């Protein structure tokens, strides 16, 4: 698959003066709920109304969606509001029903993307469709698996393609429900700059209070749109209550977002803005990793204290330095830079451990 300007055609056809907005409840619960939310969003910047019809749950016994009847509600909402309708599909059966009810936008969820067999089944079922088909990143941080899903759909003759960045699962405790791992989305964006990229801040954050922050960060990285879960009564939603916002809250978020206007910028300034935003993300990741490294250094210091072992272990340090110089050379980094960098890291580690030994 090669990058082509035509990949953006479906997005350009919206003729928007702002990023694409997809919004609606995590799950379709009742006909009244669906129609009420749709009408609340009708006269906003929302172009596509979304609602989950089938909800894959980690464990059985929870609410797994209303099924086919929800598609009838979406069809009615489309007739009454004129908005396009979108939902997640995970099987060939889902795809067939979605096409039967003329759903405009389909997306493949993170759990499904992680299974190439399931994605291929979906691609075969949707072969040649003129519907918009989006694919979320897989639950695990694997850019090749994400891109592989896109390639399977592309090979099936599906021309209206895009990707959704919804973050990646982790065992670590962080402020996110699913950590963004921005560099993975950036790498995909650099490979295919004309493949529309949409942020899903609802699933990244798991927290409605962080929606604006993460969406703004994505827009600063030149994302093309957003998909935000919106419910008339979020606290009592049947699924993912904590990450859904009210229609009024969504409208305020859209108002507060700072959209960069590139129309008057030079090509140089446009490229520099994007690259600098990428640098900011990478620098933040570097600091996060250094902080984690120092926590491990603290643990090492504690073990040394318990066993009455000296802080400085010259053989170990020499091994690390030699290894990093060799690895750095493979990445185009000079020996001088690597030595200076790791001497600084090593010194910080020693100071951390000395505080523990002397405490």
């Amino acid at each position: 698959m090669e990058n082509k300007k035509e990949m953006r055609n479906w997005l350009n056809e919206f003729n928007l003066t702002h990023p694409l907005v997809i919004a609606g409840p995590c799950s379709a619960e009742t006909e009244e709920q669906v129609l009420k939310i749709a009408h609340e969003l009708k006269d906003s910047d929302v172009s596509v109304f979304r609602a989950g019809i089938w909800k894959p749950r980690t464990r059985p016994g929870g609410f797994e969606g209303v099924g086919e009847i929800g598609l009838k509600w979406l069809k009615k909402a489309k007739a009454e509001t004129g908005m396009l309708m979108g939902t997640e599909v995970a099987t060939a059966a889902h795809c067939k029903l979605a096409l039967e009810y003329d759903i405009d936008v389909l997306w493949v969820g993170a759990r499904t993307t992680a299974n190439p067999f399931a994605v291929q089944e979906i691609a075969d079922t949707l072969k040649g469709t003129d519907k918009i088909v989006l694919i979320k990143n897989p639950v695990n941080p694997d850019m090749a698996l994400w891109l592989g899903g896109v390639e399977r759909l592309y090979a099936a003759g599906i021309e209206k393609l895009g990707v959704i960045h919804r973050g990646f699962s982790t065992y670590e405790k962080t402020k996110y429900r699913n950590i963004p791992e921005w560099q993975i989305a950036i790498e995909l964006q650099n490979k295919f700059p004309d493949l529309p990229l949409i942020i899903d801040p609802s699933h990244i954050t798991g927290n409605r209070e962080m929606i604006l922050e993460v969406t703004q960060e994505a827009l600063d990285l030149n994302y093309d749109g957003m998909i935000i879960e919106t419910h008339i009564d979020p606290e009592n939603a049947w699924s993912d209550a904590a990450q859904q916002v009210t229609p009024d809250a969504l409208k305020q978020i859209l108002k507060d977002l700072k959209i960069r206007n590139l129309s008057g910028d030079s090509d140089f300034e446009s490229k520099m803005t994007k690259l600098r935003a990428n640098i900011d993300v990478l620098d933040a990741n570097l600091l996060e990793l250094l902080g984690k490294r120092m926590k491990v250094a603290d643990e090492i210091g504690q073990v040394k204290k318990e066993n009455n072992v000296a802080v400085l272990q010259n053989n170990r340090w020499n091994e690390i330095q030699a290894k990093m110089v060799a690895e750095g050379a493979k990445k185009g980094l000079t020996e001088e830079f690597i030595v200076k960098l790791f001497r600084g890291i090593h010194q910080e580690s020693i100071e951390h451990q000395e505080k523990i030994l002397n405490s």
Side-chain angles (χ1 to χ4, degrees):
M1 187 175 78
E2 297 181 2
N3 183 69
K4 297 179 181 178
K5 293 291 183 183
E6 290 76 15
M7 288 179 168
R8 303 186 66 79
N9 284 352
W10 68 264
L11 184 60
N12 293 336
E13 287 171 2
F14 279 95
N15 292 315
L16 300 173
T17 58
H18 53 77
L20 176 68
V21 182
I22 303 172
C26 174
S27 301
E29 299 167 359
T30 66
E31 180 177 355
E32 179 185 12
Q33 172 239 20
V34 167
L35 294 176
K36 186 169 183 179
I37 299 171
H39 279 280
E40 288 270 355
L41 299 178
K42 176 184 176 183
D43 296 320
S44 68
D45 286 343
V46 177
S47 296
V48 180
F49 181 84
R50 60 138 295 153
I53 301 301
W54 303 279
K55 301 301 298 180
R57 306 274 57 133
T58 302
R59 300 178 66 182
F63 173 62
E64 296 186 339
V66 296
E68 183 178 354
I69 191 173
L71 296 173
K72 296 179 181 178
W73 304 339
L74 292 185
K75 190 172 183 179
K76 186 173 182 180
K78 181 177 180 178
E80 293 186 6
T81 67
M83 286 190 292
L84 300 184
M85 296 290 126
T87 196
E88 179 177 326
V89 291
T91 68
H94 292 171
C95 294
K96 290 175 182 176
L97 283 170
L99 294 177
E100 181 181 330
Y101 284 89
D102 198 28
I103 300 300
D104 305 283
V105 180
L106 312 177
W107 68 86
V108 180
R111 291 181 176 88
T112 308
T113 304
N115 183 347
F117 292 105
V119 176
Q120 188 60 57
E121 183 179 275
I122 289 171
D124 292 341
T125 306
L126 296 177
K127 188 172 183 177
T129 184
D130 63 351
K131 302 296 185 182
I132 297 168
V133 184
L134 310 173
I135 186 158
K136 286 192 174 185
N137 63 255
V139 290
N140 49 312
D142 188 336
M143 201 275 285
L145 191 59
W146 192 5
L147 185 55
V150 178
E151 290 171 333
R152 289 178 185 277
L153 296 169
Y154 180 84
I158 301 170
E159 296 182 354
K160 298 179 180 180
L161 290 171
V163 291
I164 299 175
H165 176 202
R166 52 79 78 188
F168 302 88
S169 297
T170 177
Y171 287 112
E172 297 179 23
K173 290 184 178 180
T174 74
K175 65 179 182 179
Y176 302 106
R177 177 182 178 184
N178 295 289
I179 54 176
E181 298 284 10
W182 294 103
Q183 71 279 6
I184 295 177
I186 289 170
E187 183 180 354
L188 188 147
Q189 186 183 51
N190 288 339
K191 287 178 180 292
F192 295 93
D194 290 302
L195 181 66
L197 174 59
I198 295 168
I199 189 70
D200 179 353
S202 303
H203 281 90
I204 285 177
T205 65
N207 177 358
R208 66 178 65 92
E209 300 302 326
M210 295 172 63
I211 298 293
L212 174 61
E213 170 193 338
V214 169
T215 305
Q216 185 63 63
E217 190 164 3
L219 294 184
D220 289 343
L221 291 168
N222 281 353
Y223 280 51
D224 298 291
M226 64 206 76
I227 178 168
I228 299 177
E229 294 187 348
T230 309
H231 195 289
I232 48 173
D233 185 11
E235 294 294 345
N236 293 302
W238 294 4
S239 57
D240 289 345
Q243 67 192 39
Q244 300 194 66
V245 299
T246 63
D248 285 342
L250 174 67
K251 292 171 186 176
Q252 187 61 49
I253 288 170
L254 298 179
K255 182 179 179 181
D256 291 341
L257 286 170
K258 296 178 176 61
I259 312 299
R260 287 190 298 108
N261 181 9
L262 299 178
S263 59
D265 293 347
S266 67
D267 185 57
F268 167 80
E269 288 298 330
S270 175
K271 289 179 180 177
M272 288 300 293
T273 299
K274 179 179 178 180
L275 290 170
R276 285 167 179 160
N278 289 356
I279 286 289
D280 289 344
V281 170
L282 292 171
D283 284 346
N285 289 339
L286 279 174
L287 289 175
E288 181 73 19
L289 287 172
L290 286 171
K292 291 179 180 178
R293 192 187 192 283
M294 292 308 155
K295 287 183 180 179
V296 176
D298 290 342
E299 294 176 9
I300 291 173
Q302 186 61 43
V303 172
K304 286 178 178 177
K305 180 179 182 179
E306 292 169 359
N307 291 273
N308 196 29
V309 174
V311 169
L312 186 59
Q313 301 289 314
N314 281 324
N315 290 339
R316 168 66 177 162
W317 162 238
N318 290 334
E319 289 174 4
I320 291 174
Q321 184 170 257
K323 180 180 178 181
M324 292 301 101
V325 167
E327 290 297 319
K330 296 177 183 177
K331 296 173 173 59
L333 303 174
T334 65
E335 180 176 346
E336 180 182 10
F337 171 73
I338 292 296
V339 170
K340 287 181 179 178
L341 174 64
F342 277 89
R343 278 179 181 170
I345 293 174
H346 186 230
Q347 183 60 44
E348 183 72 7
S349 296
I350 288 175
E351 291 176 3
H352 275 242
Q353 292 180 34
E354 284 182 339
K355 287 181 181 178
I356 291 173
L357 263 69
N358 294 324
S359 63

